Amino acid sequence: MDLMRVLIIDAQGGGLGRQLVQALKQKHEDLEIVAVGTNSIATSNMIKAGADVGATGENAVVVNCQTSDIIVGPIGILLVNSLYGEISARMAEAVSLSKAKRVLIPFFHDDNIIVGINDYSIKKLINQAVDEVSKILDQAS
């Protein structure tokens, strides 16, 4: 199997992205993890957590969505102006139109209500996201 490229997108402080990078690297050392933050703090925190490469901003999201096999991040990366305004229309469109598989983590904020899901802890949501990435990798091998 070729090296799978996982794009992790996060905003604000990059705390979710940092935890995702750590959890994915722990379980799948052979992944190429690209961390893209909507701001430099988010990117920096994901790089410190062990991402292979990092980039920041709208264009980085657009370019990396085109070349990744899996995209992981909060569900807000699909919603224009979400994550306190850090997701632009161009970013949301790039994530939506990407040919990558998307593993989206639901959070209850930004005035969006997602029915049919539970309000799990961040740790539980990250574990579930890592499990979903593992399923995708298993199907690809």
Side-chain angles (χ1 to χ4, degrees):
M1 178 173 76
D2 291 333
L3 188 65
M4 295 289 282
R5 185 174 213 201
V6 176
L7 171 60
I8 297 177
I9 303 172
D10 202 9
Q12 297 163 359
L16 173 67
R18 177 181 49 79
Q19 292 177 65
L20 283 166
V21 169
Q22 290 171 338
L24 283 169
K25 278 293 187 179
Q26 184 176 8
K27 190 163 185 177
H28 301 283
E29 296 174 6
D30 56 340
L31 290 178
E32 178 186 8
I33 296 182
V34 177
V36 175
T38 58
N39 61 67
S40 60
I41 294 170
T43 304
S44 176
N45 283 327
M46 291 187 284
I47 291 171
K48 287 176 188 173
D52 296 297
V53 66
T56 302
E58 180 181 79
N59 200 59
V61 170
V62 172
V63 169
N64 286 287
C65 281
Q66 297 171 15
T67 59
S68 296
D69 300 299
I70 303 170
I71 299 171
V72 185
I75 197 165
I77 62 177
L78 287 174
L79 303 169
V80 176
N81 297 326
S82 69
L83 303 176
Y84 298 98
E86 292 192 32
I87 301 299
S88 70
R90 196 166 165 235
M91 290 171 164
E93 179 180 49
V95 173
S96 297
L97 295 177
S98 175
K99 292 181 181 178
K101 298 277 186 184
R102 284 169 289 281
V103 176
L104 303 170
I105 300 170
F107 285 107
F108 295 107
H109 57 69
D110 289 335
D111 297 327
N112 294 297
I113 299 167
I114 305 163
V115 297
I117 61 168
N118 292 311
D119 191 10
Y120 293 119
S121 68
I122 291 177
K123 182 177 181 171
K124 176 105 174 149
L125 290 169
I126 288 169
N127 288 338
Q128 289 178 342
V130 170
D131 289 346
E132 290 301 319
V133 170
S134 296
K135 287 178 191 176
I136 295 167
L137 294 172
D138 288 344
Q139 291 171 355
S141 60

